[in-house]
């Protein structure tokens, strides 16, 4: 059996640590950084899944203490539990919007459905009954039974976050591959352009420039009065001859 005294010792510092970790995402990206749409969607889903897990976990802590002690919850704790439930529900509503996004992977859509069925359907009934009995302490469930059910529900949020993390890695890898391919294509185009310039330069050196030089010499001779020359250089039917 769980010791009620130990339940009360759940460190508040852990919650602060979670909040700090969640704030790192904005700090890691430089201002104006471009994030691929698919990666952005799955990262947002992962963040929302952790919101459900975080606020659901906070609410679970209050209910665990209550069911362990069998004492009524204070008005402050009841208000806190309701607030945590609201935050988790808001995150879930955002998840439902992300679910229909065209770039949301099918695996994430299935995980969102699982979260809805596990946390916001079956477990929600238990939460509502505990909150209704908070003023009297007649919870009708042991802490062990509650903890087992809540762990399953919160596990669905953790699984969604895990699946989203894997999808984010796939999206990031696809983005890197696309960027690499774009660089390779650009390099290939540059090499082709240089090769074409080289061919053009060779053509000018071998065909056009010598004839232009010969034409210049013939014109100088004509200017000097040497009119008895056969001007075969003008016999060609092109832009020079």
């Amino acid at each position: 059996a769980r010791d009620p005294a130990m339940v009360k010792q759940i460190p508040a510092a852990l919650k602060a640590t979670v909040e700090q970790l969640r704030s790192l995402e904005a700090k890691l990206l430089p201002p104006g950084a471009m994030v691929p749409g698919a990666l952005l969607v799955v990262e947002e889903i992962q963040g929302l899944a952790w919101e459900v897990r975080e606020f659901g976990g906070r609410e679970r802590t209050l209910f665990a203490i209550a069911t362990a002690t069998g004492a009524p919850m204070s008005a402050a704790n009841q208000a806190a539990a309701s607030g945590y439930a609201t935050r988790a529900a808001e995150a879930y509503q955002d998840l439902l919007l992300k679910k229909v996004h065209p770039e949301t992977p099918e695996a994430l859509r299935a995980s969102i459905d699982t979260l809805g069925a596990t946390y916001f359907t079956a477990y929600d009934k238990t939460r509502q009954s505990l909150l209704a009995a908070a003023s009297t302490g007649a919870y009708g469930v042991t802490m062990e039974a509650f903890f087992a059910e809540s762990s399953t529900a919160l596990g669905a949020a953790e699984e969604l976050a895990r699946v989203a993390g894997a999808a984010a890695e796939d999206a990031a890898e696809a983005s890197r591959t696309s960027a690499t391919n774009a660089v390779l294509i650009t390099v290939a185009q540059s090499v082709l352009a240089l090769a074409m310039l080289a061919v053009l330069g060779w053509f000018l050196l071998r065909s056009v420039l010598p004839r232009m030089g010969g034409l210049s010499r013939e014109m100088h001779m004509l200017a000097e009065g040497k009119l008895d020359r056969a001007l075969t250089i003008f016999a060609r039917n092109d832009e020079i001859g």
Side-chain angles (χ1 to χ4, degrees):
R2 298 180 183 271
D3 184 354
M6 294 299 295
V7 176
K8 295 182 180 180
Q9 295 176 13
I10 296 175
L14 178 60
K15 298 176 182 179
T17 301
V18 173
E19 294 293 343
Q20 291 173 1
L21 289 173
R22 291 174 58 209
S23 70
L24 286 177
E25 181 179 359
K27 297 179 181 178
L28 290 174
L29 289 176
M34 299 297 292
V35 180
L39 179 58
L40 184 61
V41 168
V42 296
E43 284 184 341
E44 289 176 347
I45 290 176
Q46 186 178 41
L48 291 168
W50 280 120
E51 281 192 36
V52 174
R53 175 61 181 85
E54 169 66 14
F55 292 108
R58 295 185 185 188
E59 181 195 44
R60 192 258 294 270
T61 298
L62 296 176
F63 285 144
I65 294 172
T67 54
T69 60
M73 293 175 63
S74 66
N77 281 349
Q78 291 183 50
S82 296
Y84 296 150
T86 298
R87 293 292 298 272
E90 289 174 350
Y92 178 63
Q93 291 303 313
D94 289 339
L95 282 170
L96 291 179
L97 294 177
K98 297 298 180 185
K99 175 187 171 183
V100 298
H101 193 283
E103 293 192 89
T104 298
E106 191 60 38
L108 280 179
R109 292 174 179 168
S111 291
I112 292 173
D113 287 339
T114 299
L115 176 64
T118 306
Y119 190 103
F120 292 96
T121 302
Y123 177 57
D124 187 63
K125 296 178 181 178
T126 300
R127 292 172 47 256
Q128 295 295 338
S129 66
L130 290 176
L131 191 59
S135 299
T136 64
Y139 301 112
V141 63
T142 64
M143 188 187 72
E144 286 75 17
F146 166 72
F147 223 86
E149 183 178 0
S150 62
S151 294
T152 300
L154 293 174
E158 294 170 3
E159 176 63 12
L160 174 57
R162 186 196 66 77
V163 175
E169 291 180 2
D170 292 342
E173 180 60 30
S175 177
R176 286 191 294 267
T177 301
S178 177
T180 300
N181 290 339
V183 171
L184 292 176
I185 291 173
T186 300
V187 170
Q189 290 174 337
S190 299
V191 171
L192 179 61
L194 290 174
M196 293 177 65
L197 288 175
V199 171
L200 179 60
W202 177 84
F203 174 76
L204 291 174
L205 288 174
R206 293 293 302 272
S207 301
V208 178
L209 293 182
R211 294 176 60 201
M212 293 295 292
L215 178 61
S216 178
R217 287 192 298 272
E218 295 291 345
M219 295 301 293
H220 278 295
M221 290 181 181
L222 288 175
E224 292 172 357
K226 297 177 181 180
L227 306 179
D228 58 345
R229 298 178 57 79
L231 302 179
T232 56
I233 194 172
F234 292 105
R236 300 183 60 168
N237 295 322
D238 56 20
E239 289 78 1
I240 299 176

